Amino acid sequence: MTKDRRASTRTEDTAAVPTPRGPAAVALNGATAVRADADPPAGSATARAALAAIGLICAGGLTIVAIDEAGIAAVFPAAAATAFGLCALTLLLGYGLLRRARPVRPPGAAVSLAAVAWGLFGATGLALPTNNAIDALLANSGLNGRAAEGWGVLLRGPVTEELFKLAGIVLLALAFARALRGPIEGFVIGALVGLGFQVAENFYFAITAVVDGGGVGGMGAAVGSVLLRVVLTGVGTHWALSALAGTAVGLMAANAWRIDGWRVPTALLLVLAAIVLHTSVNAPVFTAGMGVGYKALFNFAVVTAVYFVLRHCFRRRVRAALADEAGSSGLDPGEAAALARRGGRRRMLRAAPKADRGILAKFQERLVDAAEDRALLARD
Amino acid sequence: MGGPARGERSLAARRRGVLMATLAAVVLLFGGVQVASAALPGEKAVGGGAVEIDDGPMYRTSVRLPGEGWSKELHSRAATSDGKVFTRGGTRLEAMSVEPPGDRRADARELWAGLGDVLRTRDREIRLAEPAPVRSEQGVQGLMGATSGGERDYLAVIYPSPSHTSAAQLLISSEQGAAGLGGEADALAATAVVFTPKGKAHD
């Protein structure tokens, strides 16, 4: 991009941001018109009800988790604090990485935090008592001890936990309809829900390890448990499995929740895949040595493949939408398509005079908004 | 002109339907399992003989329940995650297997102090008394002592496994309180824990 060209762009940008005119306005307003048809109005009764349900269930879950774990944390404060610190660190790291996994730009902070909260408290608070009750049911079932234990391992995690996490992703899609409109957004929001659950589970197992270790060497037991779960299975468990379930929710949201077309069986297949992959990690086979680690790596490979397909499709659509609007925005198609990347937007901002960067950033935001709307609402 | 409005209405209806279905599924799964579990008996009869509490790499740890009439509690949780709770009449037996972290040796004295802490996770006032040595019928050396100050009085017993890689812990209590912890509790303490080396049948 030449200096003159930048200057010309700057002038047009300055004029375009407050009131886009000509084809740009058509593109932006057109996208808005499509959105009005496909998106519910912000703050609809359903969105408010879904948000209230998320808040209530998370509050209840937090109470259940606190009652369950407070006793151990009070007697072994050093081990609990260390485990908490390590878990908080993995949460922060995962939160940053997974939000960045959304192509073009990260999901909003509100929906991201709500997703993590659902995993940490909502799904965990629902799963803890349900899993205990399933254990009691299986013990009553007439199965012998080992068979009941085996079925417990298969049913508890894969079925109850995956379904409770999935329910949260659906509620998030209803409460934050603008943030979850397609499979790639579902993937990232689902992964954040799974991350929250994974961190809550890591903390639970860490402090339980202190007690199961006989109350000796508490710190070592807690640290060992967290590290083992992060290093050995961390790459392919809850965040990855819920990413698949989130993709399923994204597919349904993209279809305006209609129960027709290819998206329904595909969504069901993705949820089933999450349950089956969870079952494989929990199953008491192929557990010697690095066995569980290999199973987690397999899950990671599957989920990564799904991610790259989704990312490629979404980016391609956003780039095409941006290129379409190039003429009206004073950018050439290549420059417009480069806005689909964070680096491309940064480079354009750096090239602009400091005084214009604020308004140029807003212009980029509007262009990307419109392009994402078109990309997400494109029907196959 | 009525198209988009109708479209919006039907989308709103579908979203409402999805919300209701999701909440119903959560209530059904969470509540249904709880109701089903609560409706079933809270205990299951176990025959006399040995009940496995841990299947470690070197030893299988079991508890031998003397005589008939023992039941396994299905809703009660033991102090450790894999512990089992048995009852007969007014007697309650929590049988647990613990494994110190890493390469740490299962030392009876250390585990005694640890058990005191573990008990305090569910009852802050409970204290373990100074233990006395105990020897199981199998010849394993352990420690035994009573608790005080808690809502419930226990006779606590610890037997490190012969390889000192794990330990069996018993918590015996009675509906009659400390007064009920008499001969049956002492007999359980001495005979209940059985370590079977891998590759051999139960004693």
Side-chain angles (χ1 to χ4, degrees):
Chain A
M1 203 156 66
T2 65
K3 242 182 177 177
D4 290 341
R5 174 80 184 152
R6 278 201 299 274
S8 141
T9 305
R10 193 176 75 234
T11 314
E12 286 173 24
D13 290 348
T14 312
V17 173
T19 47
R21 295 189 191 97
V26 173
L28 288 171
N29 295 335
T32 308
V34 176
R35 204 164 61 232
D37 182 38
D39 279 1
S44 71
T46 304
R48 283 197 303 273
L51 197 59
I54 291 170
L56 278 174
I57 295 173
C58 282
L62 174 61
T63 310
I64 289 170
V65 171
I67 289 171
D68 198 74
E69 298 171 8
I72 301 176
V75 177
F76 298 98
T82 308
F84 184 85
L86 286 173
C87 288
L89 201 66
T90 53
L91 182 65
L92 283 175
L93 190 71
Y95 182 78
L97 282 174
L98 291 175
R99 285 189 77 216
R100 227 187 132 67
R102 187 189 184 284
V104 186
R105 55 189 173 172
V111 67
S112 303
L113 291 172
V116 170
W118 179 269
L120 278 172
F121 309 122
T124 305
L126 290 167
L128 261 176
T130 307
N131 288 345
N132 288 339
I134 283 180
D135 279 344
L137 278 175
L138 286 168
N140 248 315
S141 66
L143 293 167
N144 70 37
R146 284 195 182 193
E149 216 166 276
W151 276 103
V153 165
L154 296 181
L155 282 177
R156 276 180 311 209
V159 177
T160 59
E161 294 171 7
E162 290 310 320
L163 291 183
F164 284 138
K165 287 184 293 172
L166 171 66
I169 303 168
V170 174
L171 291 177
L172 287 160
L174 296 171
F176 299 91
R178 283 281 298 154
L180 208 164
R181 293 170 296 171
I184 187 69
E185 292 180 317
F187 182 99
V188 174
I189 300 301
L192 288 167
V193 167
L195 172 73
F197 193 93
Q198 196 161 335
V199 168
E201 195 179 69
N202 286 354
F203 182 72
Y204 172 82
F205 278 111
I207 61 168
T208 306
V210 176
V211 170
D212 290 349
V216 298
M219 185 86 83
V223 171
S225 171
V226 174
L227 291 182
L228 189 73
R229 294 181 66 81
V230 169
V231 174
L232 190 65
T233 57
V235 294
T237 47
H238 287 289
W239 76 265
L241 302 167
S242 294
L244 293 180
T247 306
V249 175
L251 279 172
M252 296 307 295
N255 202 29
W257 304 103
R258 287 187 197 88
I259 312 289
D260 58 25
W262 61 270
R263 287 183 174 89
V264 178
T266 310
L268 287 174
L269 205 65
L270 283 163
V271 173
L272 189 67
I275 292 173
V276 168
L277 292 178
H278 195 153
T279 305
S280 87
V281 171
N282 283 15
V285 291
F286 197 40
T287 52
M290 283 288 293
V292 180
Y294 291 133
K295 290 194 271 190
L297 276 177
F298 175 76
N299 291 359
F300 180 72
V302 170
V303 171
T304 306
V306 170
Y307 169 70
F308 278 112
V309 170
L310 296 176
R311 191 177 82 146
H312 172 74
C313 293
F314 182 65
R315 268 199 177 154
R316 185 167 47 84
R317 285 177 177 177
V318 171
R319 273 201 301 266
L322 283 166
D324 271 357
E325 290 172 17
S328 58
S329 57
L331 301 171
D332 66 42
E335 283 173 334
L339 294 179
R341 289 177 180 272
R342 292 166 175 86
R345 294 196 294 277
R346 267 199 307 269
R347 271 192 296 279
M348 184 183 281
L349 283 178
R350 271 201 299 266
K354 267 191 182 163
D356 292 345
R357 283 180 190 168
I359 206 148
L360 181 56
K362 280 183 191 162
F363 172 70
Q364 286 183 344
E365 189 77 13
R366 292 193 69 173
L367 266 183
V368 172
D369 254 344
E372 280 198 346
D373 283 346
R374 289 172 63 176
L376 284 161
L377 296 173
R379 294 275 185 275
D380 292 328
Chain B
M1 295 300 283
R6 201 163 47 242
E8 275 179 48
R9 268 202 303 277
S10 72
L11 173 63
R14 278 197 300 277
R15 283 168 49 82
R16 259 197 314 278
V18 171
L19 175 67
M20 301 311 288
T22 305
L23 293 177
V26 168
V27 169
L28 208 67
L29 182 57
F30 182 77
V33 172
Q34 304 295 331
V35 169
S37 168
L40 288 168
E43 55 184 34
K44 186 182 178 185
V46 286
V51 179
E52 184 181 298
I53 57 168
D54 183 48
D55 188 14
M58 299 177 75
Y59 287 91
R60 185 173 293 122
T61 309
S62 314
V63 284
R64 193 162 43 198
L65 302 168
E68 298 297 319
W70 286 96
S71 299
K72 184 179 164 195
E73 291 272 324
L74 301 179
H75 297 303
S76 304
R77 289 171 73 182
T80 63
S81 57
D82 290 333
K84 293 179 172 64
V85 181
F86 304 97
T87 56
R88 183 172 70 175
T91 305
R92 184 176 192 272
L93 167 68
E94 276 180 55
M96 302 161 285
S97 175
V98 296
E99 193 177 326
D103 294 332
R104 213 179 175 105
R105 191 173 182 272
D107 175 77
R109 274 276 166 193
E110 231 183 8
L111 284 169
W112 188 261
L115 179 60
D117 287 338
V118 170
L119 285 173
R120 285 194 300 114
T121 64
R122 61 184 186 193
D123 184 345
R124 292 304 298 270
E125 303 305 319
I126 205 163
R127 294 289 179 272
L128 262 180
E130 189 59 24
V134 63
R135 188 184 174 89
S136 78
E137 211 173 51
Q138 205 184 12
V140 178
Q141 297 284 350
L143 293 174
M144 179 170 87
T147 66
S148 61
E151 282 180 11
R152 204 177 175 114
D153 292 312
Y154 297 93
L155 179 68
V157 188
I158 287 180
Y159 286 113
S161 71
S163 60
H164 286 274
T165 50
S166 64
Q169 297 181 333
L170 303 179
L171 290 170
I172 308 161
S173 59
S174 166
E175 276 176 7
Q176 289 80 43
L181 290 172
E184 186 173 29
D186 288 338
L188 273 172
T191 62
V193 175
V194 179
F195 293 105
T196 310
K198 278 295 181 69
K200 291 188 183 176
H202 285 283
D203 291 347

